[in-house]
Amino acid sequence: MSVDDVDWGALREAARAVARRAYAPYSGFPVGAAAYSDDGRLLVGCNVENAAYGVTLCAECSLVSALVTGGGGRLVAFTCVNGAGDVITPCGRCRQLLWEHGGADLLVETPDGVVPMSAMLPQAFGPEDLKR
């Protein structure tokens, strides 16, 4: 898939819509994520905080859960926004999660433009590293 094949505006709007459903009473920082899978599904996720901060779920976790519970597949294009609707960059933990379910070629929208996941997480550790 190429950058031009993706309707980035629709993807951002889906992320903005789901960010409004985020449960962020502690940080006050709602996040929405949206992605297309390799079979064309639009997937969304939002952050879900918890009073025990360590068990908070990032929007990317919610999105990947939707991918897996919806039948699996691979992510091909991804974006994430804050509560103001601005595109933001996934944290390191979430980059690892996205790598697992999208790989090096996953297109990721960042504040500086769209880049492949390989640029977001160079020299990534993945399932192939666990082969014996």
Side-chain angles (χ1 to χ4, degrees), residues 18-107:
V18 76
R20 291 190 288 274
R21 294 187 228 146
Y23 178 72
Y26 307 107
S27 72
F29 192 80
V31 176
Y36 291 119
S37 64
D38 56 358
D39 63 2
R41 284 177 293 151
L42 171 63
L43 304 154
V44 297
C46 62
N47 57 324
V48 179
E49 294 182 347
N50 191 285
Y53 295 145
V55 295
T56 289
L57 299 175
C58 296
E60 295 87 344
C61 294
S62 178
L63 184 143
V64 168
S65 291
L67 173 71
V68 172
T69 60
R74 302 290 286 164
L75 300 174
V76 296
F78 171 87
T79 194
C80 128
V81 300
N82 62 21
D86 303 320
V87 173
I88 58 175
T89 304
C91 71
R93 174 182 179 262
C94 290
R95 292 177 196 197
Q96 181 66 42
L97 182 67
L98 292 169
W99 182 277
E100 182 88 8
H101 296 279
D105 295 329
L106 170 61
L107 298 174

Side-chain angles (χ1 to χ4, degrees), residues 96 99 104 117-126 128-129:
Q96 181 66 42
W99 182 277
M117 194 66 217
S118 58
M120 297 292 298
L121 193 62
Q123 301 181 38
F125 180 88
E128 64 282 353
D129 294 304

